Amino acid sequence: MRADRLVAVLLLLQARGRVTAAELAQELEISLATARRDLEALSAAGIPVYPQPGRGGGWSLVGGARTDLSGLNAAESQALFLLLGPAGSAEPELTSALRKLIRALPATFRADAEAAARAIVSDAAGWGEPEHELPALVRSLRDAVVRRLKVRLAYTGKGKQTTERLVDPLGLVDKDGTWYLIADTEAGRRTFRVDRVASADVTDLPARRPDDFDLSAEWARVVTETERRRSLVSAVVLIDARFLPVLRSHFGRHCEVIAQDDGRVRARVAAHMARSIAEQLAGWGAMVEVVEPESVRTELARIGHELTERYANQPDPA
């Protein structure tokens, strides 16, 4: 039984107050028998859905019971379908769920929700390239997350050594085209780059998932910690104001303007070590002045000495 269909049934019941199995079947494009089974299943699960026999009867939510999704206002409905629209263009299952949920919305919200769902088309393929499908490995891991099954991973770390471990998969994150798996292991919670997974065997063993686990919150923690490690060392630099956009493109969020005066900008840049900062600034030559710390100035001097030793006295090519 599809969860998206059951959500649509609940939304229809709340939006209309009462529906017949025949109306439900027509709206959701399912058989009459399936509509009845869905309604009976909701009732058996403890949701206050009850039939009312006779003319004018049907099924209704007793006492005006509400579901979390059914409390959407107009703005929230548009935001939800803006989010689902691009995903729905790539996933047939989401397209089906989207269509059913739109039909279940109150009539006053439906037109705007449909417009929001169609406002964006996601086309990840470059010109002349085939469409990019969700990688098979990601699909397999997603299935393990949904079914709550342990996965045996063969994972290649930064040191190029492949190790095997049994993990409890908690969720998947797509970070600008790079997929990450968040999972619990015997050594604690870990984040795995999916492109470093040599193999992933989904087992029949049930996986543990903390009741309070929140994937978005966990990913925010991972990002914060990663960015912290990438900015352990900072340097103060002086550059011409017109070059600030270029500096920002080099250091991203690790570039902070401290002061601006007479066309010169004092900024703080950061990386995981002094050498990394120096390597990124070396190509600027005299266009950038490192005020502090001395460790970055020393690294720049070392790079300059190496380049001088290699190229200063070389004869011109014939």
Side-chain angles (χ1 to χ4, degrees):
M1 190 173 297
R2 296 296 300 275
D4 61 347
R5 195 173 69 232
L6 294 180
V7 170
V9 171
L10 286 173
L11 289 172
L12 274 169
L13 284 167
Q14 184 188 298
R16 301 187 183 180
R18 182 180 304 167
V19 296
T20 66
E23 291 170 340
L24 195 62
Q26 182 178 3
E27 285 284 349
L28 301 185
E29 300 176 358
I30 56 178
S31 69
L32 182 59
T34 298
R36 286 173 177 158
R37 281 198 300 270
D38 286 355
L39 290 163
E40 290 167 357
L42 289 173
S43 181
I47 297 173
V49 177
Y50 294 98
Q52 296 180 342
R55 177 172 292 186
W59 291 75
S60 60
L61 281 168
V62 174
R66 301 183 66 85
T67 65
D68 290 340
L69 282 176
S70 62
L72 294 173
N73 59 34
E76 290 167 341
S77 298
Q78 292 176 44
L80 171 64
F81 287 96
L82 275 170
L83 177 65
L84 290 177
S89 66
E91 294 281 347
E93 295 87 353
L94 284 177
T95 301
S96 173
L98 184 65
R99 185 176 66 250
K100 293 171 184 175
L101 287 174
I102 286 178
R103 290 180 181 176
L105 284 172
T108 53
F109 296 170
R110 201 172 300 160
D112 288 342
E114 286 179 331
R118 296 169 182 166
I120 299 174
V121 171
S122 178
D123 185 356
W127 295 111
E129 295 181 359
E131 287 190 17
H132 298 293
E133 295 184 357
L134 199 63
L137 185 55
V138 173
R139 288 181 178 274
S140 179
L141 291 171
R142 182 182 64 179
D143 185 56
V145 171
V146 173
R147 295 168 59 196
R148 298 196 177 189
L149 295 174
K150 289 181 181 289
V151 178
R152 197 173 304 279
L153 290 181
Y155 188 74
T156 305
K158 291 183 179 179
K160 306 302 181 183
Q161 183 178 1
T162 301
T163 58
E164 188 176 281
R165 59 195 86 186
L166 189 65
V167 306
D168 295 304
L170 300 175
L172 287 158
V173 176
D174 178 8
K175 175 71 168 175
D176 194 25
T178 300
W179 285 90
Y180 294 86
L181 169 70
I182 296 178
D184 279 339
T185 73
E186 290 184 353
R189 188 160 297 169
R190 296 289 185 269
T191 303
F192 302 95
R193 276 185 60 141
V194 174
D195 57 7
R196 291 181 183 163
V197 175
S199 65
D201 297 323
V202 180
T203 73
D204 294 328
L205 301 172
R208 297 184 301 274
R209 182 186 179 91
D211 293 336
D212 60 349
F213 178 75
D214 184 316
L215 181 58
S216 295
E218 180 62 20
W219 180 248
R221 186 196 66 77
V222 170
V223 170
T224 299
E225 177 59 22
T226 301
E227 294 294 354
R228 185 193 66 78
R229 291 198 302 267
R230 295 179 62 186
S231 58
L232 294 175
V233 178
S234 65
V236 176
V237 301
L238 288 173
I239 62 166
D240 193 301
R242 58 184 171 156
F243 298 129
L244 179 61
V246 183
L247 188 71
R248 280 179 166 155
S249 71
H250 279 210
F251 288 91
R253 69 177 67 187
H254 301 303
C255 176
E256 172 193 1
V257 174
I258 301 173
Q260 209 163 345
D261 185 40
D262 287 338
R264 294 269 282 174
V265 172
R266 180 181 291 262
R268 180 177 286 106
V269 296
H272 65 290
M273 59 183 183
R275 180 172 180 170
S276 296
I277 297 177
E279 287 172 346
Q280 293 190 65
L281 294 178
W284 290 68
M287 294 167 58
V288 63
E289 177 186 348
V290 176
V291 179
E292 59 178 0
E294 190 61 32
S295 58
V296 175
R297 294 165 63 93
T298 299
E299 285 293 332
L300 279 169
R302 180 190 60 77
I303 293 171
H305 178 72
E306 286 182 355
L307 293 174
T308 300
E309 285 288 309
R310 171 161 293 188
Y311 299 109
N313 300 318
Q314 283 192 358
D316 292 335

